[in-house]
């Protein structure tokens, strides 16, 4: 198990997975529940990192069940944290929130307070509860300040707050905090973390700077490719984000290419939450091309997701303009198309949207 950790540090991920599997088998053989739970969670993280969401889900679920049976609250919190993350990325955002709340309620370890609160704040962004997410982030940040934890350890907590501000239409505050967070991370780790940089790009785009947003997102795509990790959902998110500045610049073919690439990765990885994030861009692209019935079909799907319909950011970069473009469509035609879109689940919608755009 120690060798597996060393291999992960050195980015020898395949060998690391083999060592953790071997450790898991040995601990199961001798009946050590504590270390079995620990190995299951590590292996679940490894599978998540390698884009194997379903395998990671099964590992984390097994760990949670075993931890409950053994009365291992710490192990249960770790497993629930992982289950929340995976459920959200698979498109089950309500389940992601449920597991995150359960992890927070069960946690008794002060050293894990920030990570548990951070996971819940992020899960709430995915269900459109932006105010509550911001409140949790602010509460955790105040606690961190009181106990003297260095800001480098709460970069993703800061990022959650920046994203909440951006969804709430506080673009200036969101950009300031996002840029500060990127700077803190770079000072501590020596590079600009791609996901944090994409938060800056979102704020920049909402402030009317599509060229700068495009540059920043392209930088994150290149960074993800250089890292060589196989979790395609990281790249899919970057490509889908890239469609929005392309649309703002009037580069419709580029926007289509970015969406197709991102949705392809989403389809391959099963991280269907990113498909959802691409719906407003895809609908706006289709409406701009005067494919209004197809855009309305997609708009029906959009209405299912509060984190899209309740977001000032999506309204600013796509949905307000989409509403204008859909206005000429006859009411009955639009209603029928939207109703069709409302009943299609994310995996099927991803495949259908790829067929429409390809």
């Amino acid at each position: 198990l120690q060798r597996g950790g060393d291999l992960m540090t050195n980015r020898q991920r395949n060998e690391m997975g083999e060592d953790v599997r071997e450790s898991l088998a040995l601990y199961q053989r001798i009946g050590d529940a504590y270390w079995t739970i620990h190995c299951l969670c590590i292996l679940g993280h490894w599978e998540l990192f390698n884009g194997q969401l379903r395998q990671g889900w099964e590992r984390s679920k097994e760990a949670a069940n075993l931890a409950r049976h053994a009365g291992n609250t710490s192990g249960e919190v770790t497993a629930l944290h992982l289950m929340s993350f995976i459920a959200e990325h698979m498109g089950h955002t309500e389940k992601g929130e449920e597991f995150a709340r359960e992890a927070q309620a069960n946690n008794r370890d002060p050293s894990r307070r920030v990570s548990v609160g951070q996971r819940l704040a992020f899960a709430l962004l995915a269900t459109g509860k932006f105010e509550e997410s911001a409140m949790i982030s602010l509460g955790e940040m105040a606690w961190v300040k009181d106990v003297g934890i260095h800001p480098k350890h709460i970069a993703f907590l800061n990022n959650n707050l920046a994203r909440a501000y951006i969804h709430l239409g506080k673009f200036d505050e969101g950009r300031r905090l996002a840029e500060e967070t990127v700077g803190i991370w770079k000072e501590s780790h020596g590079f600009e973390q791609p996901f944090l940089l994409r938060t800056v790009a979102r704020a920049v785009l909402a402030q009317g700077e599509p060229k700068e947003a495009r540059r920043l997102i392209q930088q994150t795509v290149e960074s993800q490719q250089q890292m060589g990790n196989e979790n395609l959902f990281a790249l899919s998110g970057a490509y889908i984000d890239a469609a929005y500045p392309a649309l703002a610049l009037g580069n419709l073919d580029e926007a289509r290419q970015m969406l197709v690439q991102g949705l392809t990765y989403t389809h391959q990885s099963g991280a269907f939450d990113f498909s959802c994030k691409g719906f407003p861009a895809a609908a706006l692209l289709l409406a701009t091309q005067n494919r209004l019935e197809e855009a309305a079909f997609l708009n029906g799907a959009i209405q299912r997701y509060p984190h899209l319909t309740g977001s000032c950011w999506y309204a600013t970069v796509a949905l307000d303009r989409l509403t204008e473009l859909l206005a000429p469509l006859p009411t009955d035609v639009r209603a029928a198309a939207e109703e069709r879109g409302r009943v299609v689940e994310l995996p099927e919608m991803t495949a259908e949207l790829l067929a429409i755009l390809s």
Side-chain angles (χ1 to χ4, degrees):
L1 184 60
Q2 180 62 53
R3 184 176 66 184
D6 293 340
L7 288 167
M8 186 62 178
T9 301
N10 294 323
R11 293 180 180 270
Q12 295 174 256
R13 290 184 290 273
N14 290 334
E15 296 91 334
M16 178 265 188
E18 292 170 6
D19 277 352
V20 176
R21 285 195 189 93
E22 186 176 346
S23 298
L24 173 61
L26 289 170
Y27 282 124
Q28 288 174 326
R29 189 180 306 164
I30 65 176
D32 190 319
Y34 177 88
W35 284 102
T36 295
I37 293 164
H38 187 65
C39 287
L40 283 168
C41 290
I42 292 176
L43 196 53
H45 274 287
W46 178 83
E47 287 165 337
L48 170 65
F49 190 87
N50 280 276
Q52 300 167 11
L53 289 180
R54 294 194 181 280
Q55 294 94 318
W57 169 258
E58 292 301 326
R59 300 284 188 190
S60 58
K61 187 167 68 171
E62 183 181 353
N65 290 335
L66 184 57
R68 288 191 193 101
H69 182 74
N72 182 344
T73 304
S74 176
E76 184 181 1
V77 169
T78 300
L80 287 167
H81 188 286
L82 185 57
M83 290 171 71
S84 171
F85 189 87
I86 296 175
E88 178 187 317
H89 278 72
M90 291 172 68
H92 308 305
T93 52
E94 293 83 2
K95 278 290 183 186
E97 178 188 338
E98 177 187 327
F99 293 135
R101 288 191 187 277
E102 190 176 352
Q104 187 187 55
N106 291 348
N107 183 49
R108 301 292 182 270
D109 183 354
S111 69
R112 301 179 67 180
R113 171 174 169 163
V114 172
S115 65
V116 170
Q118 174 184 297
R119 171 89 290 272
L120 178 55
F122 197 86
L124 291 168
L125 292 178
T127 52
K129 297 174 182 175
F130 308 128
E131 292 278 6
E132 185 181 359
S133 176
M135 182 181 68
I136 289 172
S137 293
L138 286 167
E140 296 303 325
M141 289 165 71
W143 181 80
V144 163
K145 185 176 181 181
D146 285 344
V147 299
I149 296 175
H150 193 281
K152 70 181 180 181
H153 298 299
I154 60 165
F156 283 92
L157 187 63
N158 288 345
N159 186 68
N160 288 343
L161 182 58
R163 289 206 165 210
Y165 283 158
I166 292 167
H167 282 300
L168 291 166
K170 301 176 182 179
F171 301 135
D172 291 342
E173 292 177 72
R175 179 173 182 172
R176 176 191 56 77
L177 184 57
E179 288 176 337
E180 286 178 5
T181 304
V182 168
I184 290 169
W185 181 278
K186 187 173 182 180
E187 183 180 345
S188 302
H189 298 84
F191 68 97
E192 292 178 323
Q193 210 282 341
F195 185 72
L196 303 182
L197 204 60
R198 277 167 44 205
T199 303
V200 179
R202 285 188 166 214
V204 165
L205 180 60
Q207 290 179 318
E209 302 176 43
K211 288 184 180 179
E212 176 63 5
R214 182 181 183 275
R215 184 191 70 79
L216 289 170
I217 296 173
Q218 183 58 40
Q219 184 178 330
T220 73
V221 170
E222 293 170 359
S223 176
Q224 291 286 350
Q225 290 171 332
Q226 289 168 6
M227 286 171 66
N229 55 331
E230 298 172 25
N231 58 348
L232 296 177
F233 55 82
L235 267 175
S236 68
Y239 277 115
I240 285 170
D241 275 4
Y244 289 96
L247 284 167
L249 292 165
N251 299 334
L252 301 189
D253 191 56
E254 179 182 325
R256 185 193 65 80
Q257 290 177 32
M258 294 298 99
L259 284 167
V260 168
Q261 187 65 74
L263 290 167
T264 299
Y265 283 153
T266 295
H267 190 66
Q268 291 172 358
S269 68
F272 294 110
D273 182 52
F274 289 110
S275 298
C276 189
K277 291 177 171 66
F279 288 170
L284 180 57
L285 172 63
L286 293 169
T288 303
Q289 296 173 324
N290 205 35
R291 299 165 67 178
L292 297 185
E293 194 168 343
E294 290 169 309
F297 167 72
L298 200 49
N299 192 46
I302 290 169
Q303 301 312 308
R304 296 179 59 178
Y305 302 104
H307 70 284
L308 302 180
T309 58
S311 167
C312 292
W313 186 78
Y314 282 109
T316 299
V317 302
L319 295 181
D320 286 349
R321 180 57 180 156
L322 175 63
T323 299
E324 294 174 5
L325 292 173
L326 287 176
L329 196 63
T331 303
D332 58 335
V333 174
R334 176 174 175 176
E338 289 181 341
E339 183 57 34
R340 290 197 304 274
R342 266 190 286 271
V343 300
V344 182
E345 298 299 326
L346 275 173
E348 292 74 25
M349 181 61 84
T350 301
E352 189 155 351
L353 185 53
L354 272 171
I356 291 171
L357 295 175
S358 297

